[in-house]
Amino acid sequence: MKQLERERFVAEVAVHLRDGVVPMADSTMENPVALYTDAAHTARERALVFDAQPMVIAVSAQVPNAGDFVTDELTGEPLVIIRGEDLVVRAFYNVCRHRGTKVVCEAAGSRRRFACPFHGWTYDTSGTLRAVPESYAFPDLDEARKHLTELPVVERHGLVWRLPSGWHEADLIESLGPLDSELAAYRADTYVLERSEHIEQPFNWKFAIDGFLETYHLRFLHSKTIGPFIRSNHGPTTTYGHNIRMMAVRSSYIPEVAEAAAFVDPMPHVAAVYILFPNTVLLWQGDHLEVWRMYPDGADPGRSIMTASLLAPKAPDTDEEQRHWDRNWAVLMGTVLNEDFAVSRAAQAGFSSRAQTHVLYGRNEPALQAFHRSMASLCASEAK
Ligand code: FES
Ligand SMILES: [Fe+2]
């Protein structure tokens, strides 16, 4: 956060805590449960939101060096992301230009040439076809076929963003607005990937995001884990176009101290939750970053697939440093998988019942409302 914004934040949170009030939306909001259960709506989300917005498809730390690659199928299409020998990150459909099988079968690795397992067509790190066994059999191979099909991506702030058709890096910067310099300040481009996990769950992809967007539930659902350390109901929210930042205020934040000082740096006392719209959650936790990418599982509105990654400022030098990340990861997974995702699974069953047509977002859930308003505006759904 820039200094002016920090001062505003300190003043805002101090008043909230002193007066016992919470940041509020103007009104409550209802959302049709069908948005979580309807396959036609999931298809609409893919077409009108996922394909129309910039989307994080990898983190730079997955491919730090020339020749590093990672494959990804969360988007519903097989992709391979490669850092070329020129150090530029490119993304390709992981689809051989001969007869279409996967060229790269491993999850991740590093190499200079990618030979298709089927008939040995071989591509380089820039996706260019370099060798065709028995090439006399393909005398009229056209130029377009001599390259893996590439997707437009840019690497920015330690993240690899797939751009919508017709977008350039300048459009991404413009869409981030003031968030662009704020994300730059985290220096995620210098971080290392500590670990990453693939997760599949039986609930709609949006419910995985919903759980990060309100602090109302902390003292109930997380009473035995993170609840005592973060203040429930204090999630000051700022929107940047469709992107959202919600601050979670730690219990260590003492409003009297903050108010008394002319300026107190609030950062040690907060965690920042960003929705990089539509489906990436970036968490700044002080000493590390977490990146969550949430997707529908194919066409199924009732299932989601995602990855969670922990990025650290540097690789651990000692066993104690490694244990620090192990503990962090255990708390994260324990809290999210056993608590947040347990109620999410139960909610999905509820959505599929005839109990009610709409769910309700409170005035104390402004970030949640902002996310669903953006989704509704792009999908032209009937949210109200
Ligand atoms: S499908 Fe890849 S070489 Fe034939
Ligand atoms: Fe939670």
Side-chain angles (χ1 to χ4, degrees):
M1 277 196 290
K2 299 225 168 67
Q3 175 150 333
L4 261 182
E5 216 177 340
R6 285 183 193 207
E7 288 170 357
R8 193 169 54 79
F9 178 80
V10 167
E12 192 183 336
V13 174
V15 169
H16 289 150
L17 295 180
R18 187 195 58 209
D19 297 348
V21 299
V22 298
M24 293 274 223
D26 291 339
S27 58
T28 58
M29 174 179 167
E30 288 191 347
N31 221 14
V33 294
L35 303 186
Y36 294 91
T37 59
D38 178 20
H41 186 71
T42 300
R44 213 156 42 236
E45 289 174 339
R46 281 195 186 278
L48 300 178
V49 184
F50 284 27
D51 286 353
Q53 298 294 317
M55 175 182 285
V56 173
I57 59 166
V59 296
S60 300
Q62 288 177 286
V63 287
N65 302 308
D68 289 351
F69 68 87
V70 59
T71 54
D72 187 279
E73 299 196 7
L74 290 184
T75 64
E77 297 181 298
L79 305 181
V80 57
I81 295 117
I82 307 172
R83 190 175 296 278
E85 288 171 51
D86 54 3
L87 298 182
V88 173
V89 172
R90 298 179 181 83
F92 307 98
Y93 288 103
N94 188 10
V95 175
C96 185
R97 300 310 306 274
H98 174 216
R99 280 173 51 209
T101 195
K102 256 183 227 173
V103 177
V104 187
C105 300
E106 307 98 303
S110 189
R111 72 169 85 113
R112 304 247 146 140
R113 292 285 186 269
F114 299 87
C116 178
F118 204 172
H119 313 90
W121 283 32
T122 299
Y123 305 85
D124 68 16
T125 58
S126 69
T128 303
L129 182 63
R130 289 304 191 107
V132 175
E134 323 303 337
S135 58
Y136 57 82
F138 301 90
D140 44 11
L141 204 56
D142 66 41
E143 284 306 310
R145 208 170 269 284
K146 293 181 182 168
H147 205 278
L148 290 173
T149 307
E150 191 166 350
L151 295 91
V153 295
V154 294
E155 185 178 23
R156 196 164 179 83
H157 311 317
L159 303 168
V160 180
W161 309 70
R162 189 199 69 189
L163 299 179
S165 152
W167 280 51
H168 300 284
E169 186 165 9
D171 300 302
L172 173 66
I173 295 168
E174 192 185 327
S175 78
L176 291 172
L179 210 49
D180 190 61
S181 58
E182 186 167 324
L183 295 179
Y186 294 132
R187 298 304 317 271
D189 55 327
T190 64
Y191 276 37
V192 299
L193 183 68
E194 165 57 30
R195 71 190 67 188
S196 187
E197 190 160 317
H198 177 83
I199 299 164
E200 303 191 359
Q201 289 288 321
F203 52 80
N204 184 268
W205 70 275
K206 295 187 294 300
F207 216 88
I209 292 191
D210 290 355
F212 287 97
L213 281 180
E214 45 92 2
T215 56
Y216 183 21
H217 71 282
L218 294 180
R219 71 192 170 98
F220 303 104
L221 185 61
H222 302 312
S223 62
K224 295 190 171 52
T225 51
I226 60 169
F229 305 105
I230 299 178
R231 292 179 184 272
S232 292
N233 280 324
H234 286 88
T237 297
T238 311
T239 55
Y240 303 87
H242 294 306
N243 300 299
I244 302 167
R245 182 190 66 208
M246 186 190 77
M247 289 302 204
V249 182
R250 297 185 198 278
S251 307
S252 60
Y253 188 92
I254 310 294
E256 292 73 23
V257 175
E259 257 191 320
F263 172 68
V264 172
D265 185 358
M267 297 311 273
H269 306 289
V270 299
V273 181
Y274 297 90
I275 299 300
L276 303 176
F277 190 82
N279 62 337
T280 300
V281 181
L282 173 72
L283 285 110
W284 177 79
Q285 294 272 31
D287 67 350
H288 70 278
L289 292 159
E290 292 158 21
V291 180
W292 290 76
R293 297 172 50 221
M294 326 292 200
Y295 290 83
D297 187 352
D300 189 345
R303 296 195 62 84
S304 51
I305 50 177
M306 58 195 97
T307 56
S309 305
L310 192 157
L311 304 182
K314 64 176 185 62
D317 290 325
T318 63
D319 289 349
E320 181 46 38
E321 284 179 13
Q322 184 62 62
R323 279 195 294 276
H324 172 73
W325 298 126
D326 292 347
R327 279 193 300 270
N328 259 283
W329 190 255
V331 170
L332 175 67
M333 287 296 130
T335 307
V336 175
L337 296 185
N338 301 336
E339 297 178 351
D340 292 293
F341 287 0
V343 294
S344 306
R345 291 189 289 269
Q348 191 69 30
F351 294 154
S352 302
S353 78
R354 289 167 291 178
Q356 55 185 357
T357 57
H358 289 71
V359 285
L360 184 62
Y361 308 138
R363 291 188 59 208
N364 59 345
E365 301 176 295
L368 190 57
Q369 291 197 14
F371 172 65
H372 286 284
R373 259 196 308 276
S374 281
M375 288 299 298
S377 71
L378 292 168
C379 289
S381 77
E382 59 211 91
K384 54 181 181 180

